[in-house]
Amino acid sequence: MNKMSSTPIKVGISSCLVGQEVRFDGGHKQSKYCQQVLANHFDFEPICPEMGIGLGTPRRAIRLIKDEDIIRVVASDGSFDVTDKLNEFSEKTSATLDHLSGYVFCAKSPSCGMERVTLYQAGTNNGQRDGVGVFAARVMKDHPLLPVEEDGRLNDSLLRENFITRVIAYHHWKCLVASGVTMSKLMSFHAQHKYLLMAHNAALYYKLGPMLGGTGETAQEIAPKYIALFMEILGTLANRKSHSNTLSHLQGYFKRNLDSTQRTDLAEIIDQYREGLLPLMAPITLINHYLKIYPDAYLQQQIYLHPHPDELKLRYNH
């Protein structure tokens, strides 16, 4: 991975996902992937909103109730209401999370669910899965650029890679901001992420560059608008077509160095990837191989070629 900083990557996570026995039944929902894999690369900060407001364990489960236009949080048997406490905790805690570069929420939780949380109609047991956990909703509202994901969705290889890519890129950005934003640093950051951005959304990428040239604004004025569009671009899932187009751009850097057989081989591997016959790692590996033989300073700085630690093997399955 292209390392821009040795600062730990801090990621929030629902406490139950790291094995803490904080659930209503006294158990946990430990995510082996988070605990055994991501914990080697991220500095997790566990939070359990329900324990945070004083609910012990074991306890009555809580649920979201829609009463006209108001969402309330009550015990499943109606014996208590923690709406105000949970809202207050969410507001205060969310305000302390600016240092995070990502968040992994527990799916379906009335406090931490990112989406599809059961929302009950008042006075009934009829619910629809269109709610959002109270704490998760507050965090996402207060930190709209923060990469967030749910534990279950991390089982999807495309969503997993996209989340980790966004977390690391956002961490790099936060390190840049912490070091002091200058136009030179913005230009360098943009150059390093060129092909990563192109692979996600080429159309939006071409709207990002003009922000950095000749607007008359200061780096501090440009920075918030730049990172908002930057994170929007990375939020688009890259696909075989967009990756293949990006790989073809990279191939052009070697046209004077490779002989006809090598050029044909690289083009064929890119095409085989495009057709779904090879994983993304195949053309990436060959390009990195040629880059060692024929160094190119601009290409060597590209985050696209090493967007995350190789040990995560995120480009082997698609």
Side-chain angles (χ1 to χ4, degrees), residues 227-297:
I227 191 57
L229 184 54
F230 179 97
M231 295 305 295
E232 180 183 348
I233 292 171
L234 291 190
T236 304
L237 289 177
N239 54 42
R240 286 185 180 270
K241 180 180 178 181
S242 61
H243 274 303
S244 298
N245 291 340
T246 301
L247 292 165
S248 294
H249 278 283
L250 298 180
Q251 181 184 16
Y253 284 85
F254 301 103
K255 60 185 178 183
R256 291 190 178 91
N257 302 114
L258 305 183
D259 60 34
S260 59
T261 299
Q262 291 172 319
R263 288 196 297 270
T264 299
D265 287 345
L266 180 54
E268 287 181 350
I269 285 180
I270 293 174
D271 283 340
Q272 287 177 321
Y273 163 70
R274 189 195 308 266
E275 295 167 4
L277 302 176
L278 289 173
L280 179 58
M281 200 62 197
I284 291 289
T285 298
L286 187 54
I287 287 174
N288 278 319
H289 169 70
Y290 286 141
L291 190 54
K292 289 181 180 179
I293 300 174
Y294 309 108
D296 181 283

Side-chain angles (χ1 to χ4, degrees), residues 13-32:
I13 190 169
S14 296
S15 298
C16 57
L17 298 180
V18 293
Q20 294 184 15
E21 297 176 339
V22 296
R23 284 175 56 78
F24 73 95
D25 58 1
H28 58 74
K29 283 191 64 177
Q30 184 181 61
S31 164
K32 290 185 178 180

Side-chain angles (χ1 to χ4, degrees), residues 78-238:
S79 58
F80 58 82
D81 184 315
V82 292
T83 305
D84 293 340
K85 285 185 177 180
L86 191 54
N87 280 328
E88 182 180 0
F89 174 90
S90 299
E91 180 180 358
K92 289 183 177 179
T93 303
S94 178
T96 70
L97 302 182
D98 285 340
H99 63 291
L100 296 183
S101 295
Y103 209 111
V104 182
F105 290 111
C106 178
K108 302 179 183 179
S109 164
S111 59
C112 293
M114 191 179 89
E115 61 179 20
R116 296 175 60 80
V117 177
T118 302
L119 180 61
Y120 293 88
Q121 290 297 321
T124 76
N125 278 321
N126 300 323
Q128 293 185 323
R129 296 181 63 188
D130 56 3
V132 179
V134 172
F135 177 67
R138 185 72 198 207
V139 171
M140 291 189 290
K141 177 184 177 182
D142 291 347
H143 309 276
L145 303 185
L146 184 70
V148 298
E149 197 49 273
E150 288 186 335
D151 56 311
R153 285 166 50 96
L154 290 177
N155 293 321
D156 182 300
S157 62
L158 286 175
L159 295 178
R160 181 168 63 243
E161 186 199 3
N162 182 259
F163 173 66
I164 294 170
T165 298
R166 287 184 292 132
V167 168
I168 294 174
Y170 194 46
H171 171 72
H172 287 169
W173 173 261
K174 294 179 83 67
C175 290
L176 182 157
V177 171
S179 71
V181 177
T182 65
M183 190 58 70
S184 175
K185 290 178 183 178
L186 286 178
M187 296 291 287
S188 178
F189 182 86
H190 184 68
Q192 290 174 322
H193 288 87
K194 173 179 178 177
Y195 289 108
L196 181 64
L197 293 165
M198 284 184 64
H200 283 263
N201 192 319
L204 286 182
Y205 163 74
Y206 288 115
K207 293 183 179 180
L208 192 61
M211 287 187 182
L212 303 178
T215 64
E217 295 180 296
T218 66
Q220 288 72 23
E221 291 170 329
I222 292 170
K225 292 181 287 187
Y226 176 88
I227 191 57
L229 184 54
F230 179 97
M231 295 305 295
E232 180 183 348
I233 292 171
L234 291 190
T236 304
L237 289 177

